[in-house]
Amino acid sequence: MKNYKSIILFGIVTNLLLLFSTSLSAQKKNIVMLFADDAGYHDFGFQGSKTFKTPNIDQLASEGMVFNEAYTTAAVCGPSRAGLLTGIYQQRYGIEENNVPGYMSESSKLLGDEMGLPLHLKTVADYLHPLGYQSIILGKWHLGDADKYHPLSRGFDEFYGFRGGARSFFAMNQKEAFERPENRLEKGFGNFEEPEKYLTDEIADEACDFIDRNQKKPFFMYVSFNAVHSPLESKKSDLDQFEGLIGKRKQLAAMTLAMDRACGMILDKLKELGLEENTLIVFANDNGGPDGTSTCNYPLSGCKSNFLEGGIRVPCIMKLPNVIKPGSEYTKAVSMLDMLPTFVNAAAGNASEIKGLDGVDLLPYVTGKNMAAPHEMLFWKKENRGVVRQGDWKLLRFPDRPAELYNIAKDITESNNLAYKHPEKVREMYKLLWEWEGGLERPLWQLKRIYEVNAMKRIDEKRTPVLDK
């Protein structure tokens, strides 16, 4: 009789544990981060473009929430990725500029391959791994070329991409690979093999393969496209879709179409395997569109490399079925810093236990459980330039001219400088910026002075928003 009761009890306990395990597994959302490179704020259908074709990303926007005021932590690629993956202002650990060999000041603390994400820092993949996640990065890394900075040493289980900041969308020749070895295409660690297809298409194929192989367990996929960063290279079949465009604008449209197609393949794969309902999907961009590739940041002024809205405000979509209302908008300011805590909590982790984060979990805000603004203030800094946004107010500090003050809610184009009308507000915000800067590390590397001078020139040249043609 005792054995019979023991068998029954064992069966009950086993079933309860199974139910608990199944429930816990259901809480762990798959996470897909689709991250564009150097895209223009306006260069998507859901952002208002009438000339670029982005049907898949537009569909994602209709199924999820569009953020009207989403910000990156930097106006250039590398630092913004550091902030995204750590959830910490990258200036706190000394990253303010891209780690591009040959462009750095010789007085920099680190140079060459040594310029990378400090090893004591954890990435979102590091936090997701103990929660049972399989993680992959596809595409651009740009956080250190040396082996010690490799994605597989920074929490990721798989890597298909390149360590540097920009490369051809087609197979590189031997000369190109020799001159810029950090931009060779790599699968895993040290397995270098150039793509057989257009790289954006290859990334989509690898992403779909990863989903196929990991559909039975929770996964994190960071799709770090190098599209639509230069060089402007596209397939003829994509170019043929834009007869009314010419020059760089046509190339950019074709590259954007290829990236949209890649996003569509990934989204379709999730639907095909029945994973869509349990997947958190985010689409965003690393910084504002640059001035040299004919991107359009309308209605924002500014561009990549400066702190006007066109340099730091980016398109952003978030979709989570049965949690986030389809076709909705969020109008308060959010940051790419918020992705890490949002992802950790979506993975049934507890981001509040992670010390030092500057980001917040967005889900309570976007679902209406928390009606406050996610951030009272947001900050930016590079060299002597600094910015603080407090509510609707934005202060910009420059090395070569007086500070500027704007009410972003009333003046999205930053054309009405209110600094002289509100000197007390300038003083107040200057103090906030100064106090924040007091807790930052000195930059680990800095650009040669001429490049900072050129960045200042672009601030003046890109003051007037221009609609795409």
Side-chain angles (χ1 to χ4, degrees), residues 69-88:
E69 297 189 11
Y71 289 96
T72 61
T73 59
V76 290
C77 312
S80 72
R81 283 169 166 73
L84 168 74
L85 290 181
T86 64
I88 302 169

Side-chain angles (χ1 to χ4, degrees), residues 95-107:
I95 296 181
E96 294 188 4
E97 186 49 84
N98 282 331
N99 57 344
V100 183
Y103 287 74
M104 297 298 121
S105 166
E106 293 181 0
S107 62

Side-chain angles (χ1 to χ4, degrees), residues 8-69:
I8 293 175
L9 181 61
F10 177 78
I12 292 172
V13 171
T14 301
N15 285 330
L16 286 173
L17 287 172
L18 182 61
L19 286 170
F20 177 75
S21 175
T22 302
S23 174
L24 190 62
S25 177
Q27 294 173 9
K28 294 178 180 291
K29 304 298 182 184
N30 301 314
I31 302 164
V32 175
M33 180 76 194
L34 304 169
F35 208 48
D37 191 356
D38 275 11
Y41 186 77
H42 188 264
D43 288 339
F44 301 90
F46 79 96
Q47 290 288 96
S49 178
K50 303 299 182 184
T51 54
F52 279 33
K53 300 175 182 179
T54 54
N56 295 296
I57 299 174
D58 297 346
Q59 179 67 27
L60 179 65
S62 71
E63 295 172 352
M65 172 177 282
V66 174
F67 292 82
N68 293 334
E69 297 189 11

Side-chain angles (χ1 to χ4, degrees), residues 413-431:
T413 63
E414 295 170 285
S415 57
N416 185 21
N417 181 11
L418 300 173
Y420 297 104
K421 290 185 178 180
H422 299 279
E424 72 291 342
K425 192 66 180 176
V426 172
R427 286 192 293 269
E428 174 193 341
M429 297 184 72
Y430 231 105
K431 183 178 179 181

